[in-house]
Amino acid sequence: MALTDFDLVLFGGSGDLSMRKLLPAMYARDAANDLLAESRIICVGLEACSQQDFLRMVETNAKPHIKAAALTPQVWARFCARLVYVSLNATDAASYGALAAALRPDQALTRVYYLATPPQLFARICENLAANQLVTPGSRVVLEKPLGRDLASARRINAEVGKVFAESQIYRIDHYLGKETVQNLLALRFGNILFEPLWRREWISDVQITIAEKLGVGNRLGYYDASGALRDMLQNHLLQLLCIVAMEPPTSIAPDAVRDAKLQVLRSLKKFTPTTLVQDIVRGQYRAGHVDGVSVPGYRDEPDAPDRSRTETFVALKAEIDTWRWAGVPFYLRTGKRMADSLAEIVVRFKSIPSSIFAQPAAKSQANCLVIRLQPDEGLSMNLMAKTPGDGMHLKPAELELDFREQFSTPRMEAYERLLLDVLRGQLTLFMRGDELEAAWEWVAPILDHWENDHSTPQPYAAGSWGPAASGALLGRDGLHWREET
Ligand code: BG6
């Protein structure tokens, strides 16, 4: 569906995110004929750079991230014609004149300011946009992560941005919500009658949510060393997945219906105690090892890494949701860099059968298990016990498999394509509300404080493994194991 006319302003327009994700995503929508010919993308950066040099930069840095099938000389020329480079110092109100000149004055146009900048700049940019009368009633602002580094800074961002933009104009990005399979989870839970009666403590034994990456920290060490896995992944992506798995059925797909339901989950998460802070959380840091047979250095040996860095590259924890639906069901969350595999998945394990009518005892019957694979190959599998063919009555686990790529031939959208389209259409459902962001930080705050004040270091794990031994032990204590570690 074609969008109405817009001016999209990308602060950090020459930066890494813009080149790797945002511009390729906009190109893909251009190639799909979603954009009107007049719509423009204004890339804002600090460096002085001619329009020609900027286009060269886009050719070198963004073009390689565009799917080859979508690249045609006509669309490329059309796309480049929409790009305008504006150099300004985001902290200097006086330098916004160049941006004002590039924007079209028509108040009816959709105007979006996308802040792909460090969060310390959010407040100043909003202030300066307002001071230069660049915020129209229909303007929207998109905030890229990291959305703060603790509760206080997240509150500050909300308050400062809130002075200029109303909540209904603020789009806080968590790109996991733009992933096809995450939205499919909504379809699975609320488009089928099958799961809802079973989706509760009476039938579910535990839930595991994993986002594992083979990659190390790459060239982002400066950012990563000050953040760590808890801030970089768990506080946002994993908690958002947890919310979608655990939330009550919202009354509709409208933004506040969904966001109210997610907020309720965040507010019902059991608070950590001094005991559970020690027992239920594992933090790790990778040492040298092998990933796909290639030897890789340990975290502290990465270029520019501090020798004694205590930054965690792995975190696993046990969470509980204190509601009638979920009380007593452990939710195990885990994420790490330099792991044995790259995957994101949610595993919902059902309880065992109460007794067996077969010669095989009930304990030998594997519990039913629903695996929702977010990446790399999106799909669902449900494991069931089935009879092995032939004589006798021997049961073995078998799988019902739904492969989204095989099932639907429609072209997929990258997460950023979907999210940018939603921003341009004014659709807020897949974006976090301010109170959600604060509730997520509030829950992780005691972990951050505890790590800050205790003098322990993260537990080492070999690159290419599934994390420290303590991660397996976290589930082992409850008689369980991570799915990959059977
Ligand atoms: C980002 C994190 O938000 O998500 C990165 O900052 C991480 O550290 C990335 O690599 C993972 O996203 P995806 O979509 O590749 O799973």
Side-chain angles (χ1 to χ4, degrees):
M1 194 181 58
L3 296 163
T4 54
D5 196 8
F6 62 80
D7 275 347
L8 167 64
V9 182
L10 300 181
F11 280 85
S14 53
D16 187 56
L17 185 77
S18 182
M19 294 294 165
R20 275 189 314 110
K21 299 283 184 190
L22 305 179
L23 292 176
M26 290 307 292
Y27 178 91
R29 296 336 299 163
D30 199 348
N33 293 319
D34 280 344
L35 318 187
L36 294 181
E38 312 74 86
S39 296
R40 282 189 301 155
I41 305 170
I42 301 167
C43 297
V44 173
L46 183 59
E47 318 75 33
C49 172
S50 70
Q51 174 76 7
Q52 228 175 18
D53 286 346
F54 179 69
L55 290 180
R56 252 181 244 125
M57 195 191 298
V58 174
E59 175 111 26
T60 318
N61 300 340
K63 205 172 185 180
H65 298 283
I66 295 173
K67 287 190 190 114
L71 271 172
T72 67
Q74 295 87 329
V75 181
W76 182 251
R78 186 169 80 196
F79 181 69
C80 289
R82 315 181 175 279
L83 300 180
V84 180
Y85 182 76
V86 169
S87 151
L88 66 72
N89 176 355
T91 59
D92 175 13
S95 77
Y96 279 61
L99 175 59
L103 285 164
R104 287 172 290 169
D106 181 354
Q107 299 267 322
L109 277 185
T110 302
R111 190 180 279 184
V112 173
Y113 297 107
Y114 193 123
L115 311 192
T117 63
Q120 302 84 290
L121 289 179
F122 291 171
R124 294 298 296 279
I125 294 176
C126 292
E127 233 172 68
N128 289 339
L129 289 172
N132 283 276
Q133 278 95 44
L134 298 180
V135 182
T136 53
S139 293
R140 297 166 199 155
V141 67
V142 185
L143 307 180
E144 234 330 310
K145 77 175 272 255
L147 297 172
R149 53 174 288 104
D150 53 19
L151 179 58
S153 51
R155 280 191 176 141
R156 235 173 1 250
I157 290 172
N158 280 345
E160 300 290 343
V161 175
K163 285 184 193 157
V164 176
F165 293 93
E167 184 62 39
S168 59
Q169 296 174 289
I170 305 176
Y171 292 70
R172 294 178 190 80
I173 289 246
D174 183 310
H175 79 278
Y176 263 71
L177 295 179
K179 290 188 190 262
E180 202 68 68
T181 349
V182 177
Q183 293 150 45
N184 235 317
L185 189 53
L186 291 170
L188 175 83
R189 285 199 59 200
F190 307 119
N192 296 290
I193 193 69
L194 203 58
F195 297 106
E196 176 54 20
L198 303 178
W199 213 254
R200 56 195 65 247
R201 62 195 296 275
E202 287 79 3
W203 304 107
I204 290 181
S205 128
D206 61 279
V207 178
Q208 302 178 10
I209 306 181
T210 298
I211 306 180
E213 295 177 280
K214 286 186 197 170
L215 286 175
V217 286
N219 54 9
R220 298 163 73 221
L221 200 122
Y223 153 77
Y224 195 87
D225 199 60
S227 305
L230 186 80
R231 288 186 172 97
D232 185 48
M233 298 292 286
L234 196 135
Q235 180 274 339
N236 37 70
H237 307 324
L238 279 113
L239 285 186
Q240 285 295 317
L241 295 180
L242 170 87
C243 284
I244 295 184
V245 173
M247 71 186 183
E248 292 301 318
T251 48
S252 74
I253 195 80
D256 282 339
V258 173
R259 299 183 315 171
D260 284 346
K262 289 198 290 164
L263 180 64
Q264 200 192 341
V265 175
L266 292 168
R267 293 214 169 130
S268 312
L269 281 166
K270 217 180 206 171
K271 308 273 176 281
F272 288 102
T273 64
T275 311
T276 56
L277 277 172
V278 176
Q279 270 178 13
D280 291 352
I281 304 171
V282 176
R283 60 174 168 156
Q285 191 186 62
Y286 63 82
R287 297 288 183 264
H290 290 84
V291 177
D292 289 337
V294 177
S295 101
V296 294
Y299 178 75
R300 291 178 183 178
D301 299 321
E302 297 278 9
D304 302 329
D307 290 346
R308 293 168 169 273
S309 172
R310 291 168 67 219
T311 299
E312 79 288 354
T313 59
F314 173 95
V315 62
L317 59 78
K318 175 176 166 181
E320 273 187 60
I321 302 168
D322 234 344
T323 59
W324 278 40
R325 186 189 284 267
W326 292 118
V329 178
F331 282 75
Y332 301 101
L333 313 186
R334 158 179 80 155
T335 184
K337 301 257 181 220
R338 287 285 188 230
M339 304 275 285
D341 206 350
S342 286
L343 58 87
E345 69 177 22
I346 299 167
V347 180
V348 180
R349 262 177 17 103
F350 291 86
K351 293 198 167 164
S352 305
I353 52 170
S355 75
S356 173
I357 63 165
F358 307 108
Q360 226 163 303
K364 284 269 165 64
S365 170
Q366 280 193 11
N368 296 140
C369 192
L370 175 69
V371 181
I372 302 156
R373 291 189 311 273
L374 310 181
Q375 54 196 35
D377 22 66
E378 306 155 14
L380 280 181
S381 57
M382 177 82 211
N383 112 318
L384 304 168
M385 294 303 283
K387 178 187 169 300
T388 50
D391 193 16
M393 199 62 191
H394 300 291
L395 271 57
K396 267 184 83 175
E399 273 188 359
L400 271 180
E401 176 75 30
L402 169 60
D403 182 320
F404 290 129
R405 278 177 202 268
E406 267 175 24
Q407 194 74 207
F408 303 101
S409 55
T410 352
R412 330 210 86 56
M413 271 192 203
E414 291 293 322
Y416 275 102
E417 277 177 60
R418 169 66 200 263
L419 294 175
L420 277 162
L421 278 184
D422 279 2
V423 174
L424 292 164
R425 287 188 191 125
Q427 174 50 260
L428 271 161
T429 303
L430 298 179
F431 298 85
M432 285 178 292
R433 207 169 51 195
D435 48 5
E436 257 185 273
L437 174 72
E438 291 184 16
W441 277 118
E442 204 166 334
W443 187 69
V444 301
I447 312 178
L448 293 170
D449 290 347
H450 174 66
W451 288 352
E452 185 78 31
N453 299 320
D454 88 336
H455 296 290
S456 66
T457 47
Q459 307 194 28
Y461 63 98
S465 70
W466 282 107
S471 158
L474 176 71
L475 274 70
R477 223 175 50 205
D478 298 340
L480 301 167
H481 49 76
W482 295 103
R483 197 173 87 91
E484 291 74 22
E485 296 177 86
T486 34

